[in-house]
Amino acid sequence: MARRAFTHLVLMLGAAVMLAPFVIMLSISLKPPGEVFAPQFALLPTQWHAVENYTAAFTKVPLARFLLNGFFVTLCIFAAQALTALPMAYALAKLRWRGRETAFALVVLALLIPPQVPAIPLYIGLWQLGLLNTYAAIILPSTISVFGIFLMRQFFRTVPDDLIAAARMDGLSEWAIVWRIMLPTAAPAIAAFACLSFIWNWNEFFWPLIAVQEEHLMTPPLGIAFFSNAEAGTSFGPLMAAATVVTAPLALAFLLAQRAFISGVTMTGVK
Amino acid sequence: MAEAKGTLGPRRAEALAGTLLALPAFILMWLMLLGPAVAVGLLSLTDWNFGEPQIRFAGLENYAEMWGDRVFWISLRNTVIYVGVSVPATVLLGLLAAIAIESVGPLKGFYRAAYFLPVASTLLAMALVWEFMFHPSVGFVNQVFRALGLPTADWLQNPDTALFALAAIGVWQNLGLAMVLFMAGLKAIPPDLYEALAMDGADGAWERFRRVTWPMLGPALVFVVAITAIRSFQVFDTVQVLTEGGPSKSTEVLLFTMVQQGFTFLRSAYGAAITMVFLLLTLAITLAQTVLLDRRAHYG
Amino acid sequence: MQKSFGPTPVLRGVTLEVVEGEFLAILGASGCGKSTLLRILAGLETADAGEVWIGDRRVDALPPKARDLAMVFQSYALYPYMTVGQNIALPLEMRRLSALQRLPWLGRLWSGPQRRAIAADVAAVAAPLGLAPLLARKPAQLSGGQRQRVALARAMVRSPAAFLMDEPLSNLDARLRAEARAEIVALTRRLGVTTLYVTHDQGEAMAMADRVAVMQAGRVLQLAPPQELYDEPTSLDVARFIGSPPMNALPAHVGEDGAVMVGDVRLPWLSPARGLVTLGVRPEGWVPASQGIPATVTLIEHLGAETLCHLEGGAVLRLAPDMARGMVAGQALRLAVRKAVLFGADGQRLPLQAALREIALG
């Protein structure tokens, strides 16, 4: 009993450390400038400044625009990833064709390449196409997810062959089998893949930083870095309000779909 | 007798469908990943700077320059220190958290969510919060340290501490990932092993850990170390927004140097050479992981 | 319908002609190629050589959907995320709705009448199978027997040219299997649809089929109605495969005068063959008598309707219970053979003449 109480104590302390930045972020976002730099930290402000801070966050920089950009970019990326990865995963898992083994070996190889490695050639290529500083520049490099292909292939292999045979007898084309049979059967895996894709691309900072300079194209991480630079550490209240707004969609999605998020991240271990 | 002409047999139709379904992803994979990765290798052997009309084969000149470049060596050293500090801390704390959380009954869901939340949050926004927390006078860290009677510092502006402050943020961010991977590994341990151990007379927490958990967790451990190491090598966001490599190059890391050279100074070829070093280090980790897991597999 | 194959490892030269409207069982041990044969017919596999005809249409090159066949799988292959009703409706949707009408969500806007017709057809198929109250359930919420009926309904709903069934009963327990057996036979009779039924269970094949094709190692050994298969097997392999307990294979020889001998007992038959042969006797094909082949009882099984006497050397004698009364293990018997078939050293059937029965008896 005592041991269990001790474990809880340690875990609670740990949880406090893990959650401290979130608590502080929320707390500061509610405080007026005077209280931010108070020598003694207080959780709640004595004088509420929430409206002013959040208004400032949305007016000093086009924060709403950043958020919209973020949703647009992540949505496009996931759509492209699913549209290309699912058919290939199905072809790798269930169809017999010449070159299948080679193609799969290349997927595994591509899996080993960190996403920052292709950056310089991609930048040069997009520059030559005149696509730098466009949504396309942010989206295109992420349209392929070899991780998604790999994950879905592993999952599709567990779908019984008879189910596919039955679908063929019922008159479905191979293309229709991907979307009408494999997709719903693999729904949990796809949910996990969607969560991962959302986490990665919402948070992605490295590539957008390189590909985009213009304010109206910035994704949330880029936008908030831009905000932080512009204010140079003076107005913490509005900055924390902006950070809260940027973090909120992911954190809320995580709290709502915890299982899918965690299983998705765990699936990075399916190798 | 109506003979079906112009259609393929099922076998050939299947082969055709397989090729067609794989084709879009296959092309994209070459365009966005494999092709550029090869191009980086080739580019690193030229002298090309971004925007120049001329390109010349330069052999290993970039690598020779790198060998003599003080900043590169600082960058490499900092990266290795960063990885060397944050990986053991992340793995150890993640393992402890996983075992502790699995062993408590109530509040399990809350703990798991709390420890995992940083993984699912926007690192860049949280980095700015950490910047505030590391603030020398009003920062939360110094307030706590002062209350506990520990030495305080201007963590991010002090060359001796800045890299470790960044590593602390890295640990905070990745701990939850290591934890859920370990939890998955723990779930895969058959409970009758613990029961057998109890029948054999060993049922203390330490015995359980030493005789069953640790050996059974081996493959998961290797995997968690590898994935944390690969993620740590990719440290960039916090450096870019919090320290920009400073103070006095104390937080200069590989990806930051690469971006500086390749995109700020537009030295594409030199940036490509740094990218190659970065790629090789990452591949080395994967290779080490494969070898270790193989050995274990033969061993087990 | 006619088909043949060139040499393949699984199937070596199979020719099978199925009469329209008949129930043909393909019987064989696992790995004999019977499922491969069915999958080639369905268009799920390609034959290395040979032709598949349905009616007067050659279908080798057609994809499964164009062959107008329906299949019931061993695992049923029900779409787990669709309701029973959606499972049954899918083949109809694929045939009757255009690609535009099959669009998710939107498609419903311009396919109302067709969808109502499909729903009516689904209901019409589901009702006699007792599936009407289950249409809104998912397969996971059904019992094995119910799933099996859903698979049948999905095959029936589009009235195909033929049913292909791949061991559809092997996932059911014994009692359900007997029920489902009768149900399938009644259904296919009522619909009058040609049915190919693959099974490894000879009881199933014999009980259900109009004709049975016995397969072994990629070949059809014999294609005949069940009773003929039982009484007149053309080879020792078929004889051993059909019947439970299997036919007794007694080592025998044919003397210079053509008389069939087991040991030194002369049997009442003549054969044109000479030398070592095998005499096939069904367990009920011989009876205890005052003279005949000597045998010793090793074990007696009282099965209620019949009694099986196991004999030394592995042979079996089947008796009516009252005839076996008083029989004990260890007892010595003499057995007179009433009915038998003769196989040569190569396992092929040999002719047997009963003309000299009187002489032998006398």
Side-chain angles (χ1 to χ4, degrees):
Chain A
M1 228 45 256
R3 156 169 284 141
R4 169 133 326 165
F6 176 73
T7 312
H8 272 294
L9 185 71
V10 173
L11 282 173
M12 272 297 174
L13 270 174
V17 174
M18 297 305 282
L19 295 178
F22 298 99
V23 175
I24 288 169
M25 174 174 75
L26 278 171
S27 166
I28 304 285
S29 78
L30 306 174
K31 290 179 180 173
E35 287 184 46
V36 170
F37 292 100
Q40 207 57 48
F41 180 79
L43 195 59
L44 290 176
T46 43
Q47 193 196 343
W48 285 73
H49 212 65
V51 178
E52 290 84 343
N53 283 345
Y54 283 88
T55 312
F58 276 94
T59 49
K60 285 192 175 180
V61 286
L63 188 58
R65 175 83 197 215
F66 298 158
L67 291 175
L68 277 178
N69 287 345
F71 284 116
F72 177 70
V73 164
T74 46
L75 203 71
C76 285
I77 288 177
F78 180 67
Q81 286 179 344
L83 212 59
T84 54
L86 264 67
M88 183 165 189
Y90 170 64
L92 288 176
K94 289 293 181 190
L95 299 177
R96 288 162 298 182
W97 44 287
R98 226 152 50 93
R100 181 177 78 163
E101 305 310 318
T102 319
F104 182 62
L106 284 172
V107 169
V108 174
L109 184 72
L111 214 48
L112 300 179
I113 300 174
Q116 298 89 352
V117 167
I120 292 176
L122 283 175
Y123 183 80
I124 298 168
L126 290 167
W127 166 68
Q128 280 178 333
L129 295 171
L131 286 176
L132 288 179
N133 269 313
T134 63
Y135 283 117
I138 310 175
I139 293 167
L140 278 177
S142 301
T143 48
I144 184 77
S145 169
V146 276
F147 172 74
I149 295 172
F150 185 84
L151 180 70
M152 296 321 297
R153 177 216 179 235
Q154 299 304 86
F155 205 91
F156 284 171
R157 278 160 66 93
T158 64
V159 175
D161 286 337
D162 273 0
L163 206 61
I164 295 163
R168 286 184 190 143
M169 299 288 299
D170 285 347
L172 274 74
S173 67
E174 299 299 313
W175 176 253
I177 288 175
V178 174
W179 303 109
R180 293 200 59 165
I181 308 297
M182 304 309 271
L183 177 84
T185 311
I190 290 171
F193 172 40
C195 287
L196 274 179
S197 175
F198 183 40
I199 296 182
W200 283 339
N201 293 304
W202 182 268
N203 290 342
E204 176 67 16
F205 177 65
F206 181 88
W207 177 251
L209 176 75
I210 291 167
V212 158
Q213 264 84 42
E214 280 168 45
E215 204 180 309
H216 71 278
L217 292 173
M218 287 180 171
T219 57
L222 208 53
I224 198 167
F226 172 74
F227 186 17
S228 160
N229 263 346
E231 298 294 315
T234 50
S235 50
F236 271 113
L239 186 62
M240 289 301 125
T244 308
V245 170
V246 165
T247 311
L250 261 186
L252 286 181
F254 164 67
L255 292 177
L256 287 176
Q258 232 193 90
R259 197 172 294 276
F261 267 68
I262 290 181
S263 71
V265 171
T266 313
M267 275 180 208
T268 53
V270 294
K271 286 189 217 176
Chain B
M1 291 220 295
E3 195 152 335
K5 276 198 187 120
T7 38
L8 306 159
R11 192 61 171 276
R12 285 186 51 203
E14 183 179 335
L16 184 69
T19 314
L20 286 179
L21 289 177
L23 204 61
F26 192 74
I27 293 173
L28 272 181
M29 185 167 83
W30 271 106
L31 275 180
M32 301 302 167
L33 280 171
L34 296 172
V38 173
V40 161
L42 296 177
L43 189 62
S44 75
L45 302 176
T46 70
D47 68 345
W48 197 66
N49 292 332
F50 187 77
E52 282 180 359
Q54 296 290 319
I55 186 162
R56 184 183 65 87
F57 178 74
L60 295 175
E61 270 174 34
N62 288 311
Y63 294 94
E65 180 186 344
M66 207 191 299
W67 188 261
D69 182 354
R70 202 180 57 89
V71 176
F72 168 74
W73 287 111
I74 293 174
S75 173
L76 188 60
R77 197 193 61 132
N78 286 340
T79 309
V80 170
I81 293 175
Y82 180 92
V83 172
V85 170
S86 62
V87 170
T90 308
V91 172
L92 192 70
L93 291 174
L95 179 61
L96 287 178
I99 292 175
I101 291 174
E102 281 292 330
S103 76
V104 298
L107 289 177
K108 194 165 146 179
F110 164 75
Y111 289 133
R112 197 181 53 182
Y115 284 72
F116 190 79
L117 193 56
V119 182
S121 58
T122 306
L123 177 59
L124 211 104
M126 299 319 292
L128 296 174
V129 181
W130 276 100
E131 184 176 32
F132 181 75
M133 289 174 66
F134 281 129
H135 193 280
S137 53
V138 297
F140 193 70
V141 176
N142 274 354
Q143 290 198 5
V144 170
F145 274 41
R146 225 173 275 134
L148 295 174
L150 293 167
T152 59
D154 187 354
W155 303 100
L156 286 171
Q157 299 309 320
N158 183 334
D160 295 332
T161 58
L163 192 61
F164 297 97
L166 294 183
I169 302 177
V171 173
W172 173 81
Q173 155 106 50
N174 286 327
L175 197 157
L177 177 67
M179 178 195 72
V180 296
L181 293 175
F182 277 129
M183 282 172 116
L186 286 174
K187 280 215 185 67
I189 299 177
D192 32 344
L193 283 183
Y194 291 111
E195 284 160 14
L197 192 71
M199 297 301 288
D200 292 342
D203 55 359
W206 168 245
E207 287 295 320
R208 285 161 63 90
F209 177 76
R210 188 172 72 93
R211 297 195 186 273
V212 175
T213 313
W214 180 254
M216 289 300 285
L217 221 47
L221 180 77
V222 173
F223 176 73
V224 175
V225 169
I227 202 168
T228 329
I230 289 172
R231 282 174 73 104
S232 300
F233 262 107
Q234 297 176 10
V235 59
F236 174 78
D237 297 12
T238 44
V239 175
Q240 172 72 26
V241 295
L242 297 187
T243 64
E244 296 191 60
S248 56
K249 303 247 177 280
S250 63
T251 58
E252 178 96 21
V253 291
L254 269 183
L255 275 186
F256 185 77
T257 315
M258 190 267 261
V259 169
Q260 288 266 302
Q261 295 290 345
F263 298 101
T264 310
F265 307 148
L266 298 177
R267 299 190 56 200
S268 303
Y270 192 61
I274 299 175
T275 308
M276 288 306 286
V277 173
F278 171 70
L279 176 61
L280 288 180
L281 283 172
T282 308
L283 291 181
I285 296 171
T286 309
L287 190 69
Q289 175 198 3
T290 315
V291 169
L292 273 175
L293 283 180
D294 259 12
R295 242 214 335 258
R296 283 203 83 96
H298 294 313
Y299 181 74
Chain C
M1 184 151 57
Q2 192 185 59
K3 69 182 285 81
S4 62
F5 299 96
T8 74
V10 209
L11 295 173
R12 334 165 195 238
V14 173
T15 307
L16 206 57
E17 205 165 317
V18 185
V19 180
E20 179 158 2
E22 82 170 328
F23 193 121
L24 182 98
I26 301 173
L27 175 65
S30 62
C32 73
K34 57 191 192 301
S35 287
T36 311
L37 177 64
L38 202 66
R39 294 174 70 85
I40 291 173
L41 285 173
L44 297 168
E45 306 265 350
T46 308
D48 295 335
E51 300 171 4
V52 183
W53 293 78
I54 299 174
D56 53 4
R57 219 157 47 109
R58 185 175 169 186
V59 297
D60 301 25
L62 294 181
K65 60 180 170 191
R67 297 191 182 194
D68 196 20
L69 300 171
M71 189 149 167
V72 179
F73 293 85
Q74 184 175 3
S75 61
Y76 314 139
L78 301 178
Y79 309 114
Y81 46 89
M82 293 185 190
T83 63
V84 169
Q86 288 167 334
N87 260 286
I88 303 174
L90 184 70
L92 293 182
E93 283 181 28
M94 297 311 295
R95 274 171 178 73
R96 296 194 194 159
L97 301 184
S98 66
L100 219 56
Q101 289 172 322
R102 291 199 305 263
L103 281 178
W105 307 302
L106 269 183
R108 299 194 172 272
L109 294 179
W110 45 79
S111 59
Q114 287 95 328
R115 277 177 196 271
R116 273 192 292 281
I118 288 173
D121 287 357
V122 168
V125 170
L129 287 168
L131 294 173
L134 307 176
L135 286 178
R137 299 227 197 137
K138 295 272 174 74
Q141 300 165 300
L142 303 181
S143 71
Q146 290 168 333
R147 282 180 212 179
Q148 203 270 331
R149 290 209 295 275
V150 176
L152 271 179
R154 189 175 64 184
M156 280 166 51
V157 73
R158 54 179 221 236
S159 332
F163 285 140
L164 309 176
M165 302 195 185
D166 189 0
E167 311 224 7
L169 303 184
S170 61
N171 282 336
L172 298 181
D173 63 41
R175 201 172 54 82
L176 273 175
R177 202 177 305 167
E179 264 173 41
R181 204 192 257 185
E183 206 169 71
I184 291 179
V185 172
L187 263 174
T188 52
R189 290 280 138 75
R190 204 184 67 220
L191 297 171
V193 179
T194 314
T195 306
L196 269 94
Y197 187 100
V198 160
T199 179
H200 67 273
D201 180 338
Q202 48 137 330
E204 232 170 78
M206 302 288 279
M208 299 171 81
D210 298 322
R211 289 196 299 160
V212 178
V214 182
M215 282 190 71
Q216 192 180 53
R219 283 202 178 82
V220 174
L221 297 180
Q222 189 174 358
L223 171 60
Q227 198 59 48
E228 187 184 328
L229 218 52
Y230 189 80
D231 292 336
E232 310 286 342
T234 55
S235 67
L236 191 53
D237 287 328
V238 174
R240 279 193 180 138
F241 199 82
I242 304 288
S244 172
M247 184 180 258
N248 299 305
L250 307 175
H253 64 275
V254 181
E256 283 308 311
D257 56 353
V260 178
M261 316 268 295
V262 173
D264 49 12
V265 179
R266 284 175 71 96
L267 296 180
W269 288 294
L270 284 182
S271 170
R274 293 292 179 269
L276 291 179
V277 291
T278 302
L279 189 72
V281 182
R282 293 279 173 204
E284 66 277 10
W286 51 6
V287 287
S290 54
Q291 49 180 301
I293 303 168
T296 309
V297 178
T298 57
L299 176 71
I300 300 177
E301 286 181 272
H302 298 285
L303 300 178
E306 59 183 35
T307 300
L308 296 180
C309 302
H310 293 260
L311 308 173
E312 219 168 62
V316 177
L317 164 69
R318 176 183 274 146
L319 290 174
D322 49 342
M323 283 189 67
R325 200 156 291 139
M327 212 171 260
V328 292
Q331 186 174 342
L333 292 176
R334 291 213 166 244
L335 297 170
V337 179
R338 294 268 188 247
K339 200 174 168 193
V341 283
L342 195 67
F343 302 101
D346 60 353
Q348 292 305 304
R349 177 83 178 270
L350 295 173
L352 201 59
Q353 295 157 9
L356 297 183
R357 168 179 290 192
E358 311 85 315
I359 300 168
L361 282 178

